[in-house]
Amino acid sequence: MKSVLITGTNKGIGFETVLSFAREGYKVFATMRNLEAAASLKKHIEDESLTVIIYKMDVDSDESVKHCIETIIKEYGIIDVLVNNAGIERHGSIEELPLTDFKAIMETNYFGVIRCIQAVLPQMRENKKGCIINLGSVSGKIACTPLSAYCASKYALEALTESLAQEVKPFNVRVSLVQPGIIDTKMAQDISVDSNSKYPQVLRFGAMFEETLKQPTPPSLVADAMLEIANSATWQLKHPVGPTAIPFLGWRASMTDEQWVDWNAQTDEEWYNAVQTTFGMNVRRGK
């Protein structure tokens, strides 16, 4: 039985990834920061008789990651697949968002991934087999306010993943980066409009998410994509997932950097018109 360690499994994409892998017959080590949030996952495990072991692990903590992963390897042996899913988001303009939020996002979304990789990789390298899947985002290629802090963490993760793939391929360890578009998760739903912001981009951006989520893409789609990567022999590095992913990436790639800045620096009315022309979406408030 193959094994997989998945981080951030109490909800959303991580929750669905546990179910996808377990239903496929994997032994799943489901980790989360707060075990009190595991009730729903435990019910699924019991109802479906899934092979899932839940561990407390905080990816922000060197000690927590080291202790948890060392315990799993000691008790169960090889970890075949690592899915770095845990992530957080904070949104606001760069001027108005507290520095603590920037630091918190990088601690979880970037340094947390590094901690887990460094803890799992030695046994993969020695055994000359393994698969590491990092959950990125189209935000790793598309920088936009009010998600500047989140985008920065995903840009960093892109670079880390590319470098890691180069290092470990000689040891037969596969590395993949999953790039979802807008997925129906609490994180996406929470990108709300801050009426106190001095920046118009912050005030209007949440409306685009709200409109897109009217035709929601479930997190299970991302979970199934990660399972497919793990089961395959693919060396493909990047995997856009969801109906908005490839269009968004292509849209950004079609512009110069200066055009992208100008597109997002438009007045409200110009921006709303541009969104409607480009995507066929009327995201005006009170429409």
Side-chain angles (χ1 to χ4, degrees), residues 205-277:
F205 192 79
M208 181 186 283
F209 269 73
E210 289 176 14
E211 190 67 23
T212 302
L213 289 171
K214 288 179 180 178
Q215 295 181 317
T217 299
S220 59
L221 186 72
V222 183
D224 291 344
M226 292 196 280
L227 175 62
E228 184 177 348
I229 291 167
N231 283 341
S232 73
T234 183
W235 289 91
Q236 179 179 328
L237 183 62
K238 297 179 183 179
H239 302 261
V241 177
T244 61
I246 290 176
F248 276 173
L249 292 170
W251 172 52
R252 173 62 184 94
S254 71
M255 299 188 197
T256 66
D257 294 339
E258 292 73 25
Q259 287 172 329
W260 178 246
V261 170
D262 288 343
W263 201 93
N264 288 282
Q266 297 177 96
T267 66
D268 279 355
E269 188 58 27
E270 289 170 337
W271 188 84
Y272 287 128
N273 288 338
V275 169
Q276 189 151 17
T277 299

Side-chain angles (χ1 to χ4, degrees), residues 11-27:
K11 60 184 177 182
I13 293 171
F15 181 95
E16 295 295 339
T17 303
V18 170
L19 298 182
S20 289
F21 274 85
R23 289 165 180 163
E24 185 73 5
Y26 278 76
K27 179 181 292 181

Side-chain angles (χ1 to χ4, degrees), residues 155-177:
Y155 266 66
L157 185 59
E158 289 250 351
L160 178 76
T161 305
E162 288 188 18
S163 298
L164 179 68
Q166 298 163 35
E167 293 175 355
V168 301
K169 188 170 185 178
F171 298 97
N172 197 39
V173 176
R174 294 186 295 120
V175 176
S176 293
L177 179 76

Side-chain angles (χ1 to χ4, degrees), residues 5-286:
L5 187 152
I6 307 168
T7 66
T9 59
N10 65 306
K11 60 184 177 182
I13 293 171
F15 181 95
E16 295 295 339
T17 303
V18 170
L19 298 182
S20 289
F21 274 85
R23 289 165 180 163
E24 185 73 5
Y26 278 76
K27 179 181 292 181
V28 180
F29 306 116
T31 72
M32 62 185 68
R33 190 175 302 183
N34 179 13
L35 292 181
E36 294 178 0
S40 180
L41 183 58
K42 287 180 178 178
K43 187 175 188 309
H44 277 275
I45 294 167
E46 183 178 349
D47 290 348
E48 300 182 45
S49 300
L50 300 175
T51 306
V52 179
I53 305 100
I54 299 174
Y55 284 87
K56 180 176 182 178
M57 187 174 80
D58 181 358
V59 300
D60 290 3
S61 164
D62 293 354
E63 182 180 352
S64 178
V65 171
K66 184 175 184 293
H67 176 264
C68 180
I69 293 179
E70 282 184 352
T71 299
I72 291 171
I73 292 174
K74 182 178 179 180
E75 293 181 357
Y76 296 98
I78 293 172
I79 296 172
D80 297 294
V81 181
L82 168 64
V83 177
N84 284 306
N85 164 79
I88 62 172
E89 185 273 320
R90 303 285 187 272
H91 52 272
S93 73
I94 293 171
E95 177 187 344
E96 296 163 326
L97 194 66
L99 184 59
T100 53
D101 285 345
F102 283 90
K103 290 181 177 180
I105 288 175
M106 291 301 292
E107 195 66 70
T108 299
N109 298 5
Y110 180 66
F111 292 114
V113 171
I114 295 173
R115 289 184 182 96
C116 294
I117 290 170
Q118 290 183 338
V120 168
L121 190 54
Q123 52 101 39
M124 290 185 174
R125 174 175 47 75
E126 290 168 8
N127 293 315
K128 288 189 164 50
K129 64 177 182 177
C131 177
I132 297 172
I133 303 172
N134 293 335
L135 182 64
S137 169
V138 295
S139 295
K141 290 290 187 186
I142 305 174
C144 56
T145 187
L147 298 178
S148 55
Y150 180 77
C151 292
S153 73
K154 295 303 183 179
Y155 266 66
L157 185 59
E158 289 250 351
L160 178 76
T161 305
E162 288 188 18
S163 298
L164 179 68
Q166 298 163 35
E167 293 175 355
V168 301
K169 188 170 185 178
F171 298 97
N172 197 39
V173 176
R174 294 186 295 120
V175 176
S176 293
L177 179 76
V178 176
Q179 301 168 301
I182 297 177
I183 306 297
D184 187 19
T185 62
K186 188 175 186 303
M187 187 182 295
Q189 295 164 4
D190 284 348
I191 299 175
S192 56
V193 174
D194 179 0
S195 60
N196 295 317
S197 177
K198 303 173 183 67
Y199 292 87
Q201 298 95 332
V202 176
L203 305 180
R204 66 199 182 197
F205 192 79
M208 181 186 283
F209 269 73
E210 289 176 14
E211 190 67 23
T212 302
L213 289 171
K214 288 179 180 178
Q215 295 181 317
T217 299
S220 59
L221 186 72
V222 183
D224 291 344
M226 292 196 280
L227 175 62
E228 184 177 348
I229 291 167
N231 283 341
S232 73
T234 183
W235 289 91
Q236 179 179 328
L237 183 62
K238 297 179 183 179
H239 302 261
V241 177
T244 61
I246 290 176
F248 276 173
L249 292 170
W251 172 52
R252 173 62 184 94
S254 71
M255 299 188 197
T256 66
D257 294 339
E258 292 73 25
Q259 287 172 329
W260 178 246
V261 170
D262 288 343
W263 201 93
N264 288 282
Q266 297 177 96
T267 66
D268 279 355
E269 188 58 27
E270 289 170 337
W271 188 84
Y272 287 128
N273 288 338
V275 169
Q276 189 151 17
T277 299
T278 304
F279 299 108
M281 296 167 54
N282 182 2
V283 297
R284 291 173 175 81
R285 292 282 167 175

